[in-house]
Amino acid sequence: MPDEGANIQKELNPLANAERQFDEAAARLNLPEGLKEVIKRPRRATIVSLPVHMDDGSIRVFTGYRVQHSIVRGPAKGGIRYHPQVTLAEVSALAAWMTWKCAVVNIPFGGGKGGIACDPDRLSRGELERLTRRYAADLSDLFGPESDVPAPDVNTNDQVMAWIVDTYSMHERRTEYAVVTGKPLEVGGSAGRREATGRGVLLCVREACAHLKLPLRDARVAVQGFGNVGSVAADLMARDGAKIVAVSDVTGAIHDPAGLDVPALLAHVAKQRGVAGFPGARPLTGSIIEHDCDILVPAALENQITPENAPRVKARIVAEGANGPTTPDADKLLERKGIMVIPDILCNSGGVTVSYFEWVQNRMGLYWPEHEVNQRLEEIMVPAFRDVLAKSVEHGVSLRVAAFMVAIERVVKVIMLRGLYA
Ligand code: NAD
């Protein structure tokens, strides 16, 4: 008898999921086995032990990771996550997704990801800074504008990036901003970076609506997660005339069939630190994933759309703001229902695209106004969406498989031109 618990665990394992998505797309490209293996495996994985002086005088040792999945198309690019459940497997999966994400939008980066197993809520600001600096110092051989460029991820932010700039710069004996992206504006950050991922979600949704002939004006949208990605996506879609009928975050879920007043909700969240209790909306008792809407934007965590709830998803478009919100089996169920899933590696790639602009601006020493950043973002994301859609139509496959096919082909093309030093 199959072990159901083991199957569920496997379905929720990000590395297994990333490999399954890769295998399905690679199988359609008739790549030689050896080459497939070369591009599937992470190029380099580093584990470091990080001693930190704690405020109470004790010493604690944390474990940090950095995985460079690929540097074939350019420096490894990808965030650093602080979370108690960070593991090498999780970081490896996230690093691989970064390779495919950068290739799908055709920016000159490979893929990487880092993390430290820690609970930042239980660390003081001083402890967090010492931990960050020790991590940056230990990995400063790997990091660098030409080799490996980190960014924020879950529980890290622009302050953490500023500490990394400073640590790296002290070791290099000169200021080097281009070593990380997602920095504060005053420390070499880019205009438009904070909004970039949500803006990219909007650009993809516009394209998807045009393809499905579903007007975005008055379309009903449900957004899971009202943080950086979800709140900006909701705000921009509302400005395009969509009705944001439901949103959720860790504090709860609310809905209004007539459409929420998003600017008022943003002000409420800034004050109350959550969507719960927003006046003028009713609490949502059911699952936001199953809410009656035209467009569903999962923008919180991995594994939110599962085989259990996928049959009850009502949206016509699922725009994956989060990384890995749909499990592979759930993906198949959505596909069978005719729901268009805009895959994470395309849908949330606005963030890494503007990170690329930040890196370019740092290296030029010339900074663009926000309207120029937004214009350039559109010039990258709209063709990327169209490339993926064309591949999906040509091969009769989902947008996810098509996005992986586009990305893998781009990586393989560079390997073929450069040749393998093997
Ligand atoms: P964030 O911390 O700003 O926001 C996360 C939101 O999700 C918060 O509102 C939180 O309350 C909510 N949330 C957490 N658990 C929830 C749950 N169980 N149900 C409902 N809501 C829940 O994070 P973010 O930067 O917006 O990132 C969200 C997702 O987007 C992550 O998967 C992240 O990897 C991905 N992503 C972010 C960026 C970026 O530039 N910020 C880029 C690409 C991908």
Side-chain angles (χ1 to χ4, degrees):
M1 207 169 110
D3 177 347
E4 200 177 315
N7 282 342
I8 291 171
Q9 276 314 311
K10 197 165 171 224
E11 174 76 4
L12 300 183
N13 173 342
L15 187 56
N17 291 352
E19 291 187 347
R20 211 170 130 185
Q21 291 165 346
F22 172 87
D23 288 340
E24 186 176 355
R28 293 179 175 271
L29 293 171
N30 292 323
L31 303 177
E33 271 313 307
L35 187 59
K36 236 191 277 179
E37 200 60 22
V38 171
I39 55 178
K40 183 172 172 180
R41 286 202 197 181
R43 158 179 193 269
R44 172 189 272 184
T46 306
I47 304 179
V48 284
S49 295
L50 306 167
V52 174
H53 284 297
M54 306 301 283
D55 291 348
D56 66 5
S58 64
I59 293 173
R60 262 185 74 186
V61 182
F62 296 85
T63 305
Y65 305 91
R66 184 70 185 172
V67 174
Q68 294 179 347
H69 176 261
S70 171
I71 57 163
V72 166
R73 301 179 72 254
K77 185 83 195 81
I80 298 171
R81 178 173 291 200
Y82 289 178
H83 196 275
Q85 265 99 50
V86 162
T87 60
L88 184 61
E90 183 189 52
V91 175
S92 303
L94 292 163
W97 275 320
M98 286 307 298
T99 302
W100 313 128
K101 195 178 293 190
C102 293
V104 104
V105 278
N106 217 355
I107 56 176
F109 283 142
K113 205 81 179 191
I116 302 178
C118 69
D119 183 351
D121 288 343
R122 304 182 70 165
L123 296 175
S124 70
R125 183 181 162 92
E127 289 165 344
L128 207 57
E129 178 175 350
R130 292 193 289 281
L131 177 60
T132 300
R133 286 185 181 277
R134 178 69 196 220
Y135 176 80
D138 253 347
L139 293 175
S140 62
D141 291 345
L142 293 182
F143 294 162
E146 313 286 348
S147 51
D148 187 336
V149 186
D153 190 67
V154 175
N155 290 329
T156 55
N157 55 21
D158 58 351
Q159 174 62 74
V160 172
M161 297 306 112
W163 288 329
I164 296 178
V165 164
D166 189 67
T167 309
Y168 183 84
S169 297
M170 293 304 289
H171 284 266
E172 292 290 308
R173 324 299 293 166
R174 63 186 163 82
T175 292
E176 181 52 86
Y177 285 150
V179 65
V180 291
T181 59
K183 303 178 289 290
L185 274 180
E186 300 81 354
V187 191
S190 173
R193 172 64 186 88
R194 192 187 69 78
E195 299 82 6
T197 307
R199 183 171 293 280
V201 171
L202 167 78
L203 295 170
C204 287
V205 165
R206 275 188 191 157
E207 289 297 306
C209 283
H211 178 71
L212 295 178
K213 302 194 169 44
L214 168 75
L216 183 51
R217 172 158 295 282
D218 290 330
R220 297 162 310 147
V221 180
V223 182
Q224 183 198 39
F226 205 67
N228 177 284
V229 179
S231 69
V232 173
D235 187 30
L236 294 177
M237 282 192 265
R239 285 170 200 236
D240 264 17
K243 281 198 283 190
I244 311 302
V245 292
V247 301
S248 71
D249 69 7
V250 277
T251 66
I254 55 171
H255 77 119
D256 181 351
L260 296 156
D261 177 347
V262 178
L265 177 59
L266 288 167
H268 172 85
V269 170
K271 247 203 236 149
Q272 308 294 330
R273 316 213 66 75
V275 300
F278 176 58
R282 274 176 283 154
L284 177 68
T285 42
S287 151
I288 194 153
I289 298 293
E290 299 168 23
H291 196 72
D292 192 9
C293 62
D294 303 304
I295 302 166
L296 172 65
V297 183
L301 305 168
E302 302 96 86
N303 300 327
Q304 296 302 297
I305 306 179
T306 64
E308 200 274 316
N309 61 13
R312 292 187 298 281
V313 170
K314 297 177 187 67
R316 289 181 64 193
I317 297 172
V318 173
E320 293 187 335
N323 283 314
T326 311
T327 70
D329 286 342
D331 221 11
K332 299 287 166 226
L333 294 172
L334 297 182
E335 195 180 345
R336 242 174 269 153
K337 278 166 66 98
I339 297 172
M340 181 187 239
V341 179
I342 312 173
D344 46 9
I345 60 169
L346 172 64
C347 195
N348 69 34
S349 60
V352 76
T353 302
V354 176
S355 274
Y356 162 54
F357 297 158
E358 183 176 328
W359 177 83
V360 168
Q361 291 170 84
N362 292 152
R363 289 153 62 94
M364 287 194 302
L366 175 69
Y367 290 83
W368 302 328
E370 185 170 348
H371 68 85
E372 190 171 344
V373 171
N374 293 345
Q375 176 65 30
R376 287 178 185 271
L377 175 64
E378 192 161 344
E379 284 167 9
I380 287 200
M381 289 209 60
V382 170
F385 186 96
R386 291 180 185 167
D387 286 349
V388 170
L389 182 61
K391 182 70 87 184
S392 136
V393 171
E394 183 192 339
H395 291 266
V397 294
S398 68
L399 289 181
R400 186 174 329 270
V401 173
F404 271 81
M405 288 171 75
V406 167
I408 293 168
E409 276 179 338
R410 288 189 178 144
V411 173
V412 167
K413 176 92 197 205
V414 177
I415 293 180
M416 292 314 218
L417 287 166
R418 286 176 55 163
L420 258 191
Y421 190 11

